[in-house]
């Protein structure tokens, strides 16, 4: 890649990532909705402060639920590279744990569920060659250009960031900090740093080659099509979120103005009149008429105050007083519940997340209700596993390691709703039938490779201690309850006596 090619590629990325582009605006809109910055429900122009306040109160942010409910259960607890246990432990320690991916993996999954794509970068670590640098990246800053013959392979990548510039002086005056746009362009073996000027992209003073033999960015795509195009799971939910807010706004209006019985008076003229039927106007102490806006102000009859022990009396033969019944808000509640149910169904979130739908549910019932969410989790894990395999392959190259096998898999925690007693009982039966202990213990909730390895070491140490006690003849030791272990000890003592 030469300088002119790098500039052309930076220009392509800028058209997609700059804040005025359609793609960038849509990405910002998704993130705004996820964080609760949503469009207010429609209202006619000229509404008062009271109505405007109700518009703000009507916004209930349901968007985080379909995004975070699946990824909160995607906890990676180990890997199997197909090379060997020691290799796996080294990869987990120097790549996963060293880069704090235990927590930062959530950033990738969140972007995957929000924009349809998560991105991570891999780069050699000059300070510690064995521990390459792996970082989650924002899709708003990184553009991945697909190859023409293989849309699932990146031809090049461009990362565009805004950098702050400080004048070369000890004292920085107020407002003197300026910013510039910097682009880093990568292909399979080289990279360039460029800066944006008024005429376009210019040389940024840095360039070089790298050892990755691939674009050093890994994509985690959710449901790509045959052309490698991605689609956001959040986009179909935005109109539904707007509809829910509108229903809440209408319900708040009904609660404000018609949720209770209203007294209505018709045919009543509050203006005070004299015996001749002429309007009586206000006068000040000097006897002059009181005026407002150049008009005299009429006197009004006392309306009285409504109370249990008072009677309201109105002048006029045509005056009528009656009540208007309150509005039935049940229809609003039912409609809101129905829209929320459709929102959950579209996002594959089980109904028990709407707590009013829960009533004496057993573990099996909850597990059945969560079948759609479980299916979504399985699909997300398959897509995430593809990205993780590529990530660890690039990280192995960056650290000079042997690359993992293509059938490498990440070990995710089993987060299905199950009874712990049932899990333990099932594991015990598996071990009794000859199933490997290590594989069985990996099924325990919260188990990961370091924990299982420590458990195995502790179990072996305890077994050796008990075996030694039995060999020494302490057959009545409190911990010596295993008949098979006693027989093994007797056999060992017999062979020792023969020798």
């Amino acid at each position: 890649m030469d300088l002119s090619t790098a500039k052309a590629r930076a220009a392509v990325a800028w058209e997609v990532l700059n804040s005025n582009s359609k793609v960038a605006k849509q990405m910002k809109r998704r993130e705004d909705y996820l964080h609760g910055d949503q469009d207010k429900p429609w209202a006619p122009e000229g509404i008062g402060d009271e109505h405007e306040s109700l518009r703000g109160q009507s916004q209930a942010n349901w968007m985080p639920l379909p995004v975070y409910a699946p990824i909160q259960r995607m906890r990676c607890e180990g890997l199997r590279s197909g090379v060997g246990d020691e290799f796996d432990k080294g990869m987990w320690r120097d790549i996963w744990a060293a880069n704090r991916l235990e927590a930062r993996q959530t950033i990738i999954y969140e972007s995957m569920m929000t924009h349809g794509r998560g991105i991570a970068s891999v780069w050699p670590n000059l300070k510690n060659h064995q521990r390459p640098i792996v970082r989650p990246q924002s899709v708003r800053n990184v553009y991945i250009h697909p190859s023409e013959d293989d849309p699932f392979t990146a031809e090049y990548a461009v990362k565009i960031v805004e950098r702050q510039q400080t004048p070369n002086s000890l004292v920085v005056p107020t407002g003197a900090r300026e910013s510039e746009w910097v682009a880093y362009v990568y292909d399979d073996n080289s990279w360039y740093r460029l800066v944006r000027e008024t005429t376009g992209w210019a040389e940024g003073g840095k360039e070089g080659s790298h050892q990755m033999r691939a674009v050093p960015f890994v994509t985690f795509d959710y449901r790509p099509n045959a052309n490698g195009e991605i689609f956001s799971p959040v986009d179909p939910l935005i109109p539904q979120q707007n509809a829910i807010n509108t229903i809440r706004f209408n319900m708040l209006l009904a609660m404000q103005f018609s949720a209770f019985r209203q007294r209505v008076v018709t045919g009543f003229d509050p203006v005070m009149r004299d015996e001749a039927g002429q309007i009586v106007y206000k006068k000040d102490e000097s006897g002059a008429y009181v005026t407002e806006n150049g008009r005299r102000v009429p006197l009004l009859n006392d309306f009285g105050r409504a109370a249990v022990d008072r009677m309201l009396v109105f002048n006029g033969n045509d005056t009528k007083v009656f009540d208007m019944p309150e509005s039935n808000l049940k229809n609003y509640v039912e409609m809101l519940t129905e829209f929320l149910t459709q929102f959950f169904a579209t996002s594959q979130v089980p109904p028990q997340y709407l707590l009013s739908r829960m009533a004496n549910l057993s573990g099996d019932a909850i597990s059945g209700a969560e079948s759609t969410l479980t299916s979504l989790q399985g699909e997300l894990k398959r897509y995430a596993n593809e990205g993780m395999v590529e990530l660890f392959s690039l990280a192995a190259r960056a650290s000079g390691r042997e690359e993992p096998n293509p059938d490498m898999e990440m070990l995710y925690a089993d987060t299905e709703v199950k009874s712990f007693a049932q899990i333990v009982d099932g594991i015990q039966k598996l071990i009794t039938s000859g199933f490997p202990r290590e594989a069985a213990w990996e099924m325990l909730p919260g188990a990961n490779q370091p924990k299982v390895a420590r458990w195995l070491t502790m179990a072996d140490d305890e077994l050796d201690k008990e075996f030694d006690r039995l060999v020494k003849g302490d057959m009545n030791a409190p911990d010596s309850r295993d008949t098979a272990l006693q027989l093994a000890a007797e056999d060992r003592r017999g062979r020792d006596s023969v020798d």
Side-chain angles (χ1 to χ4, degrees):
M1 177 175 59
D2 55 19
L3 180 60
S4 60
T5 303
K7 291 180 179 180
R9 291 175 173 178
V12 173
W14 178 258
E15 291 298 322
V16 176
L17 298 179
N18 79 85
S19 59
N20 294 323
S21 70
K22 180 179 179 181
V23 175
K25 290 180 179 179
Q26 184 61 23
M27 288 192 291
K28 185 178 184 304
R29 178 175 172 81
R30 294 173 194 144
E31 294 180 359
D32 288 344
Y33 262 74
L34 181 62
H35 300 143
D37 186 8
Q38 303 167 359
D39 296 339
K40 292 184 179 181
W42 179 88
E45 295 183 3
I47 61 174
D49 294 339
E50 186 175 12
H51 292 80
E52 187 63 36
S53 176
L54 292 179
R55 289 180 72 193
Q57 297 173 28
S58 66
Q59 293 178 293
N61 187 17
W62 292 93
M63 298 297 290
L65 190 56
V67 173
Y68 293 113
I71 66 178
Q72 283 175 345
R73 302 186 179 191
M74 292 184 63
R75 300 194 304 270
C76 186
E77 298 181 338
L79 61 92
R80 286 197 183 97
S81 64
V83 178
D85 291 341
E86 292 301 320
F87 181 84
D88 294 350
K89 292 178 182 179
M91 295 273 282
W92 184 264
R93 179 187 63 248
D94 295 332
I95 298 175
W96 187 268
N99 288 283
R100 303 177 184 177
L101 294 178
E102 180 69 23
R104 293 175 182 176
Q105 61 177 322
T106 305
I107 302 175
I108 301 174
Y109 303 147
E110 178 183 339
S111 180
M112 187 178 174
M113 288 299 296
T114 305
H115 303 290
R117 165 170 286 181
I119 301 177
S121 63
V122 182
W123 201 249
N125 188 348
L126 300 180
K127 296 181 179 179
N128 189 339
H129 185 67
Q130 290 295 317
R131 295 183 174 180
I133 300 173
V134 181
R135 294 290 184 269
Q137 299 290 336
S138 171
V139 294
R140 297 178 63 180
N141 294 339
V142 179
Y143 170 74
I144 308 292
H145 189 81
S147 174
E148 293 182 359
D149 57 342
D150 182 6
F152 298 97
T153 302
E155 181 179 356
Y156 65 88
V158 181
K159 180 177 180 179
I160 300 178
V161 293
E162 187 177 12
R163 301 295 189 194
Q164 298 293 332
Q165 291 180 315
T166 303
N168 295 325
S169 61
L170 296 178
V171 180
V172 181
T174 304
R177 297 178 66 91
E178 297 180 354
S179 62
E180 66 175 355
W181 291 99
V182 180
Y184 296 88
V185 186
Y186 302 86
D187 65 3
D188 291 349
N189 48 42
S190 61
W191 63 276
Y192 275 88
R193 180 184 186 273
L194 307 175
V195 294
R196 183 165 180 79
E197 298 179 348
T198 56
T199 57
W201 292 98
E203 184 178 2
K206 294 182 181 180
E207 62 179 280
S209 59
H210 59 79
Q211 65 192 55
M212 307 300 294
R213 303 194 307 276
V215 175
F217 289 92
V218 180
T219 58
F220 295 76
D221 293 345
Y222 176 64
R223 292 180 179 175
N225 62 13
N227 294 323
E229 299 172 329
I230 57 175
F231 304 92
S232 168
V234 167
D235 287 346
L237 300 178
I238 291 179
Q240 296 189 45
Q241 175 69 67
N242 289 336
I244 292 173
N245 291 343
T246 300
I247 294 174
R248 286 173 52 86
F249 178 52
N250 294 335
M251 184 165 60
L252 287 174
L253 286 175
M255 292 172 61
Q256 185 78 3
F257 299 104
S258 60
F260 303 95
R261 299 180 67 181
Q262 303 290 325
R263 292 184 176 89
V264 181
V265 179
T266 62
F268 171 62
D269 183 8
V271 177
M272 186 178 295
R273 300 177 184 272
D274 57 15
E275 296 178 355
Q278 302 297 319
I279 298 176
V280 179
Y281 294 96
K282 290 183 179 181
K283 295 182 179 180
D284 56 18
E285 296 178 355
S286 63
Y289 286 107
V290 177
T291 60
E292 292 182 2
N293 298 326
R295 296 184 179 182
R296 290 182 291 180
V297 180
L299 290 173
L300 300 179
N301 289 306
D302 184 14
F303 287 93
R305 291 183 299 168
V308 175
D309 57 347
R310 293 179 180 179
M311 179 179 296
L312 297 179
V313 180
F314 300 95
N315 297 328
N317 297 328
D318 296 330
T319 302
K320 295 181 180 180
V321 180
F322 58 92
D323 289 345
M324 292 185 65
E326 65 273 11
S327 297
N328 184 8
L329 299 180
K330 181 180 179 181
N331 295 330
Y332 288 101
V333 175
E334 291 179 352
M335 185 61 64
L336 177 61
T337 303
E338 183 64 26
F339 271 62
L340 284 173
T341 302
Q342 295 175 6
F343 182 86
F344 290 160
T346 304
S347 59
Q348 294 185 248
V349 175
Q352 65 264 25
Y353 279 80
L354 188 62
L355 298 181
S356 60
R357 294 294 185 92
M358 297 183 65
N360 299 325
L361 295 180
S362 64
D364 292 338
I366 295 178
S367 179
E370 290 194 343
S371 59
T372 56
L373 180 60
T374 303
S375 300
L376 176 60
Q377 286 177 246
E379 189 176 16
L380 289 174
K381 290 176 182 178
R382 288 193 296 273
Y383 289 121
N385 189 77
E386 291 184 1
M388 288 298 179
V389 172
E390 185 178 356
L391 185 147
F392 275 90
S393 297
L394 289 178
R397 295 178 193 175
S399 59
R401 283 184 171 88
E402 178 184 357
E403 293 186 28
N405 293 340
D407 61 350
M408 168 188 164
E409 63 175 342
M410 304 300 295
L411 305 179
Y412 287 92
D414 184 5
T415 55
E416 293 186 31
V417 178
K418 297 178 183 177
S419 168
F420 184 75
Q422 293 177 345
I423 295 175
V424 173
D425 183 62
I427 291 176
Q428 183 177 1
K429 291 179 179 178
L430 284 174
I431 296 176
T432 304
S433 65
F435 195 78
R437 287 187 304 165
E438 182 176 0
W441 289 351
E442 288 177 352
M443 300 178 185
L444 286 170
N448 54 34
Q449 285 181 321
K451 286 183 180 179
V452 173
R454 188 172 71 255
W455 295 341
L456 289 171
T457 302
M458 295 169 64
D460 290 340
D461 291 342
E462 291 179 0
L463 187 62
D464 289 341
K465 292 178 182 178
E466 187 172 0
F467 194 87
D468 291 339
R469 286 196 299 268
L470 291 172
V471 170
K472 293 177 181 178
D474 189 8
M475 300 296 296
N476 297 320
D479 295 334
S480 303
R481 296 183 296 269
D482 190 341
T483 303
L485 190 59
Q486 293 177 5
L487 294 175
E490 292 176 356
D491 181 68
R492 180 175 176 179
R493 284 201 304 272
R495 285 187 280 106
D496 291 342
S497 63
V498 171
D499 294 339

